[in-house]
Amino acid sequence: MDDRIYEDNEQLRAYRKNEELKVYRNYCENLCLANLCILSVDDYYESLKDRSKFKKPRDTSKRDAKRDAQVTLKSKFRCFFLKDETECKKREKEKLLRSEYKQRHQEDVNRKRAEFEENQRQNHKLMDEMKSKYIKGDKEQIINFFNKVLQSDCFTIGMGNGYYYDADSEVSQYDETTKTLSYEYRIPNARDICVIDEYIYDEKRNAVIPKEFDTVHAKKERMNFLETLLLRSVARVIDSDTYNHVEFINLTGFLEYFDSAYGNYRKVNVVQLIISRDLWSQINLEYANKSELFERVLKENFKTSAGLYEKEPFDLAEIK
């Protein structure tokens, strides 16, 4: 291929990669607004109800009657063609047993169907009672519901197809007096966050390569993405809380990493965000400047370990 044509093709590929990068940045910027996967209380408790269909037991009356009457292919032949009295009696016995066994089978089906339907009614009744408890403010039901809210989030990170991100969130506590919901949230590691400034064609390497932000700008990009995910999580909790059980959110963000010194995965709490429903109601995420929001409005209630996204996870001080 002509060198000039090859270079033009590679520059075109760089242009397309940069367009893809713009789309991904826009996607990341809007993660706190788009496709929040809100879970309603009605949908949650309906999903817990047993909606399975009754499976009718197999009818083995014909096979069992033939076995118990000792009817074989040979006995059928002897009865039909030779009129063998003994074998014909077996055939008669088979018919009687089949009728008896079929009746027993139907009785068994009716009994099991009634048991199934009763168990299903009891299940539905229990789910309705659990929903009623939730509405009235039952602590256990509130924790169960918000665990499901946190675990049902669904979004991808990474350019191209990316991968589904699992925040591994779990409610650690609910204070009924203050209506404070406390939960853990796994934040992305530095390598999980895109810090590519642009794609360029490198003549020396004769290839399209990514050019990353400088250290300062890369830290800013990672913190911006982190803040977006925290806002998304808070938005999902508040928007799902249609019965106003949560007045305060106490979110603890942790990093999970492989520590070669220990030879296993460890985690360290490096972020804390406390926010009230009242303050949240004053924020318009569509137009809010996220960096300014965290630096000025949430400053007193937003803490991060010094050196987050600069130091190795094992060198970060844990937030208590």
Side-chain angles (χ1 to χ4, degrees), residues 41 45 130-138 141 243 245:
V41 174
Y45 284 101
M130 288 167 60
K131 177 182 175 181
S132 179
K133 285 182 178 180
Y134 170 83
I135 293 172
K136 293 176 182 177
D138 180 79
Q141 291 305 315
Y243 289 91
H245 289 314

Side-chain angles (χ1 to χ4, degrees), residues 115-313:
E115 289 177 357
F116 175 84
E117 291 175 350
E118 178 58 27
N119 288 338
Q120 201 167 63
R121 277 193 295 270
Q122 291 299 322
N123 169 265
H124 291 189
K125 181 181 178 183
L126 177 61
M127 295 307 109
D128 289 338
E129 289 173 353
M130 288 167 60
K131 177 182 175 181
S132 179
K133 285 182 178 180
Y134 170 83
I135 293 172
K136 293 176 182 177
D138 180 79
K139 181 176 181 177
E140 180 181 0
Q141 291 305 315
I142 289 173
I143 290 175
N144 289 343
F145 172 70
F146 284 106
N147 267 330
K148 186 63 176 179
V149 169
L150 294 169
Q151 294 161 11
S152 62
D153 196 7
C154 183
F155 64 94
T156 60
I157 64 174
M159 287 183 61
N161 293 329
Y163 62 92
Y164 285 102
Y165 185 73
D166 180 8
D168 197 19
S169 296
E170 185 176 7
V171 175
S172 56
Q173 186 180 1
Y174 175 72
D175 188 313
E176 297 166 280
T177 304
T178 61
K179 292 188 174 183
T180 299
L181 185 76
S182 302
Y183 64 91
E184 296 182 333
Y185 186 94
R186 184 174 70 86
I187 67 171
N189 288 295
R191 66 176 180 274
D192 297 323
I193 303 173
C194 177
V195 289
I196 298 173
D197 182 15
E198 63 176 338
Y199 287 90
I200 59 173
Y201 172 64
D202 188 313
E203 293 184 8
K204 291 183 179 179
R205 299 185 189 180
N206 202 25
V208 173
I209 61 171
K211 177 186 176 185
E212 294 191 348
F213 291 118
D214 59 64
T215 304
V216 174
H217 199 165
K219 165 72 180 291
K220 185 178 179 181
E221 283 292 311
R222 290 185 172 111
M223 288 303 297
N224 182 64
F225 187 66
L226 166 63
E227 291 163 0
T228 299
L229 293 191
L230 297 182
L231 291 174
R232 176 184 176 87
S233 181
V234 172
R236 296 186 67 254
V237 170
I238 296 296
D239 289 357
S240 297
D241 184 28
T242 53
Y243 289 91
N244 294 342
H245 289 314
V246 177
E247 289 298 330
F248 296 92
I249 289 176
N250 183 359
L251 186 162
T252 299
F254 66 91
L255 280 174
E256 187 176 64
Y257 65 98
F258 183 80
D259 193 323
S260 57
Y262 288 89
N264 54 39
Y265 282 91
R266 298 171 68 81
K267 74 175 191 177
V268 55
N269 296 331
V270 293
V271 171
Q272 184 184 53
L273 173 64
I274 299 175
I275 189 169
S276 68
R277 174 185 288 272
D278 178 60
L279 176 57
W280 183 260
S281 67
Q282 301 173 46
I283 300 171
N284 185 342
L285 283 181
E286 188 173 357
Y287 299 105
N289 181 306
K290 291 193 288 291
S291 296
E292 190 175 351
L293 172 65
F294 276 86
E295 290 171 4
R296 186 161 60 85
V297 181
L298 299 174
K299 183 178 181 180
E300 298 300 320
N301 294 312
F302 178 57
K303 300 177 182 177
T304 62
S305 294
L308 177 62
Y309 292 138
E310 294 173 323
K311 299 179 180 178
E312 291 293 333

Side-chain angles (χ1 to χ4, degrees), residues 16-29:
R16 288 174 176 169
K17 291 291 289 182
N18 283 321
E19 289 300 302
E20 182 183 340
L21 183 60
K22 288 179 185 177
V23 171
Y24 180 65
R25 281 180 182 158
N26 184 65
Y27 165 79
C28 292
E29 189 69 22

